[in-house]
Amino acid sequence: MTMTTTVQDLYPTRGASEVMTPRRDPVVWGARDGLESYERDGFLAVEELITEDEVGVYRAELERLISDPAVRADERSIIEPKSQDVRSVFEVHKISEVFANLVRDERVVGRARQILGSDVYVHQSRINVKPGFGASGFYWHSDFETWHAEDGLPRMRTVSVSIALTENLDTNGGLMIMPGSHKTFLGCAGETPKDNYKKSLQMQDAGTPSDEALTRFADAHGIRLFTGKAGSATWFDCNAMHGSGDNITPYPRSNVFIVFNSVENTAVEPFAAPVRRPDFIGARDFTPVR
């Protein structure tokens, strides 16, 4: 006999209309030492998470990967529709031992364990390449809305870190976050198309907030744009409303992006999608990072 366990949906989304739900989970699950601003705002900026020499190592590895025809042809690579340049390479910690070592670095995984109050595994990793002269941005969204709806993450017990491998200027399509937005879940309107990920990784559509909701959020919380030297990093909560603009400058913006999820919050079946996304986007390997 097969038994199916039903997990309560605390954050309904992708229905007939938008629904706002107050956050029902802690922001910081572990010790709060040094995380007061993260709890309040939903993010923590670090001026130098990795050194200049380390940046050189990771940038060289990024260039090696995006120049490799086998990597480009792999389904884990996302290609810019207009330029046909590589936009992202997913599951990079499994493709590259260099990035696997970064995931295991105590400066990285240690902070994730503190925020989530448990051992963690990698729900998603990728390198993002945002070359100059027209690389497209990502529209406003909550990652948790997608990970809940399409990957089946039950609770807000997930944290992301974006580590800059090039300088983040105020003009080259940097990360924008609405401080405090992580305390309200915005359930979006509209059903999830099958294989939505094939389109959404290039241009977000399903799971996109309305202009009216975004205006309310921006009026209530404001918008913070992150700038910093290569080697700087931004930790941010899974439910923070964020996005980035196009990069029409000559100056590239590349980063490595790692999503840690608590081993006590492993994925179930999607809450609002016909099928779950591939494992290289939403992991089903829950092995703790060691």
Side-chain angles (χ1 to χ4, degrees), residues 46-267:
V46 180
E47 288 188 7
E48 185 182 290
L49 183 64
I50 59 175
T51 67
E52 185 176 344
D53 288 344
E54 290 171 314
V55 167
V57 172
Y58 295 121
R59 282 182 63 173
E61 181 67 355
L62 179 149
E63 293 296 333
R64 184 189 71 80
L65 289 170
I66 66 173
S67 302
D68 185 339
V71 172
R72 180 185 175 89
D74 193 288
E75 65 174 345
R76 289 173 285 195
S77 293
I78 308 302
I79 308 300
E80 279 279 354
K82 293 181 180 178
S83 67
Q84 292 298 299
D85 292 330
V86 175
R87 177 191 181 109
S88 301
V89 180
F90 280 81
E91 213 169 44
V92 70
H93 70 295
K94 291 192 175 182
I95 294 175
S96 163
E97 187 60 27
V98 173
F99 285 112
N101 288 335
L102 179 62
V103 166
R104 294 190 290 262
D105 191 308
E106 191 58 28
R107 292 169 296 180
V108 177
V109 70
R111 179 69 82 180
R113 291 189 189 110
Q114 180 191 3
I115 292 171
L116 302 180
S118 69
D119 279 333
V120 298
Y121 70 93
V122 177
H123 176 69
Q124 184 186 106
S125 73
R126 66 179 187 263
I127 47 174
N128 292 324
V129 187
K130 208 171 194 179
F133 300 116
S136 54
F138 269 110
Y139 199 65
W140 291 104
H141 64 286
S142 154
D143 286 330
F144 179 75
E145 193 280 336
T146 298
W147 299 338
H148 182 70
E150 300 185 39
D151 297 341
L153 295 192
R155 311 292 293 264
M156 293 181 183
R157 200 170 178 179
T158 314
V159 64
S160 301
V161 61
S162 174
I163 305 172
L165 300 182
T166 55
E167 186 169 5
N168 283 244
L169 306 169
D170 58 6
T171 52
N172 65 344
L175 175 68
M176 295 181 286
I177 296 181
M178 298 184 185
S181 59
H182 62 304
K183 295 183 179 179
T184 303
F185 177 74
L186 180 62
C188 297
E191 294 184 355
T192 308
K194 186 178 180 181
D195 290 340
N196 177 57
Y197 77 93
K198 293 180 180 179
K199 179 180 179 183
S200 68
L201 295 178
Q202 294 179 333
M203 184 64 66
Q204 187 85 359
D205 188 8
T208 301
S210 68
D211 291 352
E212 293 76 16
L214 287 171
T215 300
R216 290 198 299 272
F217 267 61
D219 287 346
H221 302 294
I223 297 173
R224 166 80 182 272
L225 169 66
F226 291 90
T227 59
K229 299 288 187 183
S232 62
T234 306
W235 291 91
F236 60 102
D237 181 81
C238 58
N239 190 47
M241 190 66 70
H242 66 287
S244 65
D246 295 350
N247 182 14
I248 61 172
T249 75
Y251 310 112
R253 175 182 170 262
S254 298
N255 70 303
V256 55
F257 181 77
I258 307 164
V259 180
F260 293 100
N261 189 38
S262 169
V263 295
E264 299 172 10
N265 187 46
T266 53

